[in-house]
Amino acid sequence: MFDAKTLLTVGQNSIMRKVVQRSDTAASYSKDLNRFLSTTAVIDMAIRASMETIDKYLPDNFISIGFDIKFTHTAATSLGMTVTVKASIVAIEGHEIDLHIDVWDEQGEIGYGTHKRSIVSKQHLYDHADRRTRFLANQRIEESKQG
């Protein structure tokens, strides 16, 4: 593993902007919310901005994975408005990266939060997922034998 501080710095950030479309609304939760940006859409943008802040600076065989997010959605944003998300690195400890998330639209702040990501080897991630999948497949085989 490498020292993440040689590739990333506190204060490094990415900004994403998006005009709110119908697919970004909370309509799937309630027809009364079909005009408003959903919290899940904002969190999706926050994760994407966080990955953009980190992943393009990593060696090809590494990736960041999220393991914690806390977000407060403070104001409604309507269809057609532009939402902006800024993800900024606030701490680097070993392979863990802490980011602060700021979100606003044309009227001002609409949310804020924190996101934690860990830098891992892609191969380690794939191997771990494969072991978990094989375990599940073996459990199902055993259950079918007993049933």
Side-chain angles (χ1 to χ4, degrees):
M1 189 74 156
F2 55 88
D3 182 2
K5 290 181 180 178
T6 63
L7 302 172
L8 306 169
T9 59
V10 170
Q12 189 170 321
N13 64 75
S14 287
I15 295 176
M16 296 185 74
R17 287 186 180 83
K18 182 177 189 178
V19 175
V20 178
Q21 305 293 312
R22 180 87 44 209
S23 60
D24 301 315
T25 69
S28 64
Y29 302 107
S30 168
K31 64 181 173 72
D32 297 323
L33 299 174
N34 66 359
R35 302 180 10 210
F36 305 108
L37 176 67
S38 71
T39 303
T40 53
V42 178
I43 291 172
D44 180 71
M45 287 182 67
I47 291 168
R48 290 175 189 276
S50 297
M51 291 176 73
E52 179 69 17
T53 303
I54 298 169
D55 289 17
K56 67 183 177 182
Y57 299 100
L58 301 178
D60 287 341
N61 54 337
F62 287 87
I63 190 169
S64 71
I65 56 172
F67 66 92
D68 185 61
I69 192 160
K70 293 178 178 67
F71 184 75
T72 302
H73 199 165
T74 59
T77 300
S78 297
L79 277 168
M81 293 181 75
T82 300
V83 63
T84 303
V85 174
K86 181 179 181 183
S88 305
I89 296 175
V90 294
I92 304 168
E93 293 296 326
H95 61 277
E96 292 184 6
I97 313 299
D98 293 352
L99 300 107
H100 180 77
I101 308 298
D102 290 302
V103 188
W104 64 94
D105 62 21
E106 294 92 338
Q107 298 296 308
E109 177 193 278
I110 66 162
Y112 59 90
T114 59
H115 184 39
K116 294 179 179 280
R117 298 189 70 77
S118 182
I119 298 171
V120 299
S121 155
K122 289 179 185 178
Q123 191 59 55
H124 176 76
L125 177 63
Y126 302 152
D127 291 347
H128 183 70
D130 288 346
R131 279 192 304 277
R132 289 178 51 83
T133 302
R134 279 194 304 276
F135 176 80
L136 181 60
N138 289 338
Q139 288 294 104
R140 289 181 178 156
I141 291 169
E142 289 301 316
E143 288 172 3
S144 69
K145 287 179 182 177
Q146 294 171 1

